[in-house]
Amino acid sequence: MSKVLLIDDDAELVEMLADYLSRDGFAVTTAHNGEKGLPLALGGEFALVVLDVMMPGTNGIEVLKQIRQQSQIPVIMLTARGDDTDRIIGLELGADDYVPKPCTARELAARIRAILRRMEPNPADNHQPITTGNLVLWPQQRRALWCGAPLDLTSTEFNLLEILARNAGATVSKQTLSENGLGRPLAKFDRSIEVHMSRIREKLGLLADGRSCIQTVIRQGYLLIRE
């Protein structure tokens, strides 16, 4: 039973979501503000955090910043519907995904399962690493090296980079990346993939010739350069 932490000041919504998630097989703990939720998120007890952006006191963006300073636990942000600014800021700070409010408990449960499922080792994979150029990934261990140094990746960033590495030298569409990396179809005007790719590029840095190893292929997708 996966343990999920739900941080939101909307008591009625929290009760509804917690009840549904509990009946859907999750062990749910709730916190109604960032001050109480942050130490719980950093305690190492939970598999995933659901975090509301708009809360009094320490808001969700600040909580996410502090989580990412110490942990790569998966985080799903709850954002106001139509508020692209909060979504993009959350993704840029390391959120794995977002769900616009008002949301259905069923949709949230599906997003949680998608992220957790992609963190589980695939029995079909052997223990051999994926190696392409300066990049080495161990999918079962969720571990990656770039130029011999550890890469500090969120769960979603690892998923996306693994997909590109398995297809190094070939273009991977944003639709494929969204479906296999985020666990959901790519929505119209959704910039999640672009933001995640920007973060991955920043962590990888540039090649010796000044290029990024992840190239954008206009109107097609992304390509990891095979060195």
Side-chain angles (χ1 to χ4, degrees):
M1 181 178 289
S2 298
K3 293 185 176 181
V4 173
L5 175 62
L6 178 55
I7 308 174
D8 193 315
D9 66 315
D10 187 333
E12 184 176 346
L13 176 64
V14 166
E15 182 179 0
M16 183 271 289
L17 293 176
D19 180 65
Y20 183 94
L21 293 174
S22 297
R23 287 187 283 109
D24 204 32
F26 296 98
V28 182
T29 298
T30 63
H32 293 291
N33 57 59
E35 290 81 1
K36 292 182 179 179
L38 179 60
L40 292 173
L42 295 175
E45 179 182 353
F46 298 96
L48 182 143
V49 176
V50 178
L51 177 62
D52 183 34
V53 169
M54 297 299 295
M55 293 186 293
T58 306
N59 64 31
I61 295 297
E62 184 57 38
V63 172
L64 177 62
K65 286 181 184 178
Q66 296 186 50
I67 289 175
R68 282 294 171 256
Q69 289 174 3
Q70 304 180 53
S71 172
Q72 292 302 327
I73 184 173
V75 176
I76 295 177
M77 302 295 290
L78 297 178
T79 67
R81 187 174 297 277
D83 195 336
D84 291 337
T85 301
D86 280 344
R87 296 178 191 177
I88 293 172
I89 290 174
L91 293 171
E92 288 176 339
L93 291 174
D96 291 272
D97 205 352
Y98 66 87
V99 176
K101 294 171 67 175
C103 65
T104 66
R106 183 177 180 181
E107 178 185 6
L108 179 59
R111 297 285 184 92
I112 293 172
R113 289 193 185 281
I115 290 176
L116 296 182
R117 183 169 58 248
R118 281 155 181 78
M119 293 180 64
E120 296 175 354
N122 185 347
D125 288 339
N126 59 33
H127 292 274
Q128 296 300 313
I130 302 169
T131 302
T132 176
N134 295 320
L135 178 66
V136 186
L137 298 99
W138 289 265
Q140 285 202 333
Q141 302 173 30
R142 308 286 294 178
R143 185 165 65 92
L145 298 178
W146 175 254
C147 296
L151 276 174
D152 190 17
L153 301 169
T154 67
S155 63
T156 297
E157 289 166 359
F158 188 97
N159 293 340
L160 295 172
L161 188 55
E162 180 185 351
I163 294 167
L164 291 178
R166 289 185 183 276
N167 296 276
T171 301
V172 183
S173 71
K174 289 196 290 184
Q175 182 67 41
T176 296
L177 289 166
S178 185
E179 290 178 351
N180 296 306
L182 276 64
R184 58 180 172 84
L186 183 68
K188 192 175 183 180
F189 305 123
D190 188 346
R191 294 183 57 195
S192 300
I193 296 298
E194 287 92 334
V195 178
H196 286 305
M197 285 299 168
S198 175
R199 282 179 52 82
I200 296 171
R201 282 170 166 154
E202 183 178 350
K203 292 178 180 182
L204 295 177
L206 300 176
L207 298 173
D209 61 6
R211 294 180 301 164
S212 169
C213 66
I214 298 177
Q215 295 290 301
T216 300
V217 182
I218 303 299
R219 291 189 293 276
Q220 294 186 46
Y222 294 90
L223 178 149
L224 179 67
I225 295 174
R226 184 190 294 277
E227 298 179 74

